[in-house]
Amino acid sequence: MAKALFLLFVLSSLDLSFCMRYTPLLGQCGPSGYLHGRTENCNKENDSDCCKGGQEYPQYHCSPAITGETHATMTINSFAKGGDGGGPSECDGNYHSDEEKVVALSTGWYNHGSRCLKLIRINANGRSVLAKVVDECDSVNGCDYSHDFQPPCPNNIVDASPAVWKALQIPKDDIGDYHITWSMA
């Protein structure tokens, strides 16, 4: 019994946070590792970021907690065939036209596809719009062919089709990275 208590004491005194991805008590989501970039051909439609050789990109298995008004960065993505989104959407295996209100969520929010084909409400620019989750904005993998040689997404991204940006009436000069709030519809 004394050995078990001693072992418990030793383990509880160690700082094991280095191996954790999400610390629920602190509400934090930190990088779980780093991906080494490589330079290849990348579709630059919508001013997509492209991997650079030798650069390290943070990887996240988690995202900030979802609330009634979850803060995020909205980016623009074409889910159409040949668009900067790469292959077909994870949720349904289809491409989606730029006129459809669809989004991809960062890996933690995507939650292994549990939000696939569900609607989220996006608030920005004094407006609100419903959009369907059709894909994951991969926060772990990237810099390869299946990710169009783009780096992993940050952990707080709602990657939205041009139709979402249009519905929110965001000025063309502001299209890129835009602060929003979102919630499940």
Side-chain angles (χ1 to χ4, degrees):
M1 178 73 166
K3 286 182 183 179
L5 287 174
F6 177 74
L7 183 60
L8 183 61
F9 172 76
V10 169
L11 288 175
S12 67
S13 66
L14 293 175
D15 180 11
L16 298 176
S17 63
F18 68 90
C19 65
M20 301 182 112
R21 295 182 186 131
Y22 179 73
T23 310
L25 296 176
L26 300 176
Q28 296 176 345
C29 172
S32 54
Y34 291 87
L35 180 72
H36 298 284
R38 65 180 210 202
T39 304
E40 295 282 343
N41 290 331
C42 168
N43 183 333
K44 295 189 180 212
E45 179 183 15
N46 296 317
D47 294 324
S48 296
D49 289 333
C50 297
C51 292
K52 294 175 180 67
Q55 187 167 335
E56 289 191 337
Y57 299 94
Q59 298 170 295
Y60 296 92
H61 285 87
C62 57
S63 291
I66 296 175
T67 65
E69 287 191 12
T70 305
H71 291 267
T73 298
M74 188 169 71
T75 55
I76 189 166
N77 184 46
S78 174
F79 296 84
K81 189 168 187 165
D84 60 336
S89 298
E90 285 290 319
C91 292
D92 59 10
N94 295 319
Y95 292 98
H96 296 272
S97 84
D98 288 343
E99 285 75 41
E100 286 183 72
K101 294 180 197 99
V102 294
V103 298
L105 298 177
S106 291
T107 296
W109 290 334
Y110 182 74
N111 194 25
H112 306 287
S114 69
R115 294 189 172 80
C116 273
L117 307 179
K118 294 184 179 173
L119 295 177
I120 66 169
R121 179 176 309 284
I122 300 170
N123 305 298
N125 197 33
R127 302 191 176 281
S128 179
V129 66
L130 293 178
K132 182 169 49 173
V133 176
V134 297
D135 210 348
E136 173 184 18
C137 192
D138 197 333
S139 302
V140 178
N141 303 296
C143 298
D144 58 11
Y145 178 79
S146 64
H147 295 90
D148 195 35
F149 299 103
Q150 296 175 21
C153 284
N155 66 346
N156 65 336
I157 296 295
V158 174
D159 204 16
S161 66
V164 172
W165 289 81
K166 183 176 179 182
L168 292 168
Q169 297 182 4
I170 296 175
K172 288 187 187 235
D173 290 346
D174 292 338
I175 292 177
D177 290 355
Y178 199 87
H179 178 76
I180 63 160
T181 60
W182 73 276
S183 61
M184 296 304 299

